[in-house]
Amino acid sequence: MHLALFLVLLLLSTANAQRPSVGEQYLLAAANQERLSQGIAPLSWNAALATAARQHAHQMAYHRQISHQFSGEQELSARGAAAGARFTTISENVAEAPSPLIIHSAWMRSEGHRENLLDPNVDAVGIAVINRDGQLYAVQDFAHLTRSLTLEQQEATVAALLDRSGVTILPGATGDARSTCLTESGYHGPNRPGFVMRYTAASLNTLPDELAPHLDRYHQASVGACTSRSGPFTSYRIAILLYP
């Protein structure tokens, strides 16, 4: 089985500028084989996560030991964000062994590493394997990735949810809603809203539960997005102003 995996992997193409090594491809295929056997969706390869994993694997090879963070090195989420990944969650496996097969087996025997590898809440991975004097230093960086949305795209997404809830979006009121989003209280604009909600979310797939009771009372809204100061994790900052 393992030999077959290697032969198949050698034929795989990748969109990355830096093609994964055979060892890295093996660890990806082995991880996805484990996930599929448990009914869990497979992971996609992500170049930004691979860059973060590779940088950390070089650190481990340099120090000749495994660790999730060395002195002077950024912690995992900061490394992932600096490499260009956008995510709502991120986790990591590290290992040191003479072969990828042994590395994967060790991860599957370790409860914490196994949980990371089989986590259904992550959808992407970047893997690095660095060889130093015949010893392999391996890193798997897992994440749940998010798209990079402009403020306009964020507002349109939330507006569509409100529209499906029977609320009409007021034309020309986006600027006031954006200004409101930037403040901690009060509102901007000539018309006083009946209700203002500001919220920060990792996903814009649904409206906040707290908003539901107010959607029966108000029938018009303006939506504004603003930059969220949430550190390396992706989040969206939204203001919804409701009117009669």
Side-chain angles (χ1 to χ4, degrees):
M1 178 183 69
H2 296 293
L3 177 60
L5 275 174
F6 268 102
L7 293 175
V8 170
L9 289 168
L10 283 170
L11 300 176
L12 294 178
S13 61
T14 177
N16 296 336
Q18 183 170 353
R19 182 188 176 113
S21 68
V22 173
E24 292 160 357
Q25 292 181 66
Y26 168 77
L27 289 174
L28 172 63
N32 280 336
Q33 188 175 50
E34 301 286 0
R35 290 172 69 90
L36 289 171
S37 71
Q38 299 294 320
I40 304 169
L43 300 163
S44 61
W45 180 271
N46 181 262
L49 292 174
T51 296
R54 191 170 297 112
Q55 291 170 347
H56 186 59
H58 277 293
Q59 285 285 328
M60 294 199 308
Y62 173 78
H63 290 280
R64 293 182 182 269
Q65 67 181 74
I66 60 173
S67 173
H68 288 289
Q69 184 178 14
F70 293 98
S71 177
E73 184 186 27
Q74 291 179 306
E75 52 85 27
L76 173 59
S77 62
R79 295 199 309 268
R86 294 180 60 84
F87 48 85
T88 57
T89 185
I90 189 168
S91 57
E92 184 175 74
N93 283 349
V94 297
E96 174 187 0
S99 76
L101 191 154
I102 294 174
I103 288 169
H104 177 72
S105 297
W107 279 337
M108 291 304 294
R109 291 196 305 270
S110 165
E111 182 178 356
H113 294 90
R114 180 186 174 91
E115 287 179 358
N116 286 342
L117 195 148
L118 297 179
D119 185 355
N121 296 313
V122 298
D123 56 14
V125 67
I127 303 172
V129 178
I130 302 298
N131 186 327
R132 180 172 183 180
D133 299 330
Q135 188 74 340
L136 301 182
Y137 297 85
V139 177
Q140 285 179 323
D141 283 347
F142 307 94
H144 177 77
L145 299 180
T146 59
R147 292 191 303 131
S148 178
L149 299 178
T150 65
L151 296 183
E152 291 81 4
Q153 289 171 326
Q154 295 174 43
E155 291 157 355
T157 300
V158 176
L161 295 175
L162 289 168
D163 181 71
R164 288 199 288 271
S165 298
V167 177
T168 300
I169 303 302
L170 294 172
T174 300
D176 293 334
R178 284 188 182 181
S179 296
T180 300
C181 183
L182 290 168
T183 63
E184 296 299 325
S185 61
Y187 68 95
H188 284 255
N191 300 319
R192 182 183 182 89
F195 181 77
V196 176
M197 167 162 279
R198 298 173 181 82
Y199 67 98
T200 300
S203 170
L204 297 179
N205 293 332
T206 60
L207 295 169
D209 292 339
E210 298 85 350
L211 189 66
H214 302 281
L215 298 181
D216 293 332
R217 299 176 54 197
Y218 301 102
H219 307 290
Q220 300 181 96
S222 60
V223 179
C226 55
T227 302
S228 174
R229 305 181 186 86
S230 60
F233 293 93
T234 296
S235 64
Y236 305 103
R237 175 72 172 170
I238 303 293
I240 299 176
L241 285 64
L242 295 177
Y243 303 90

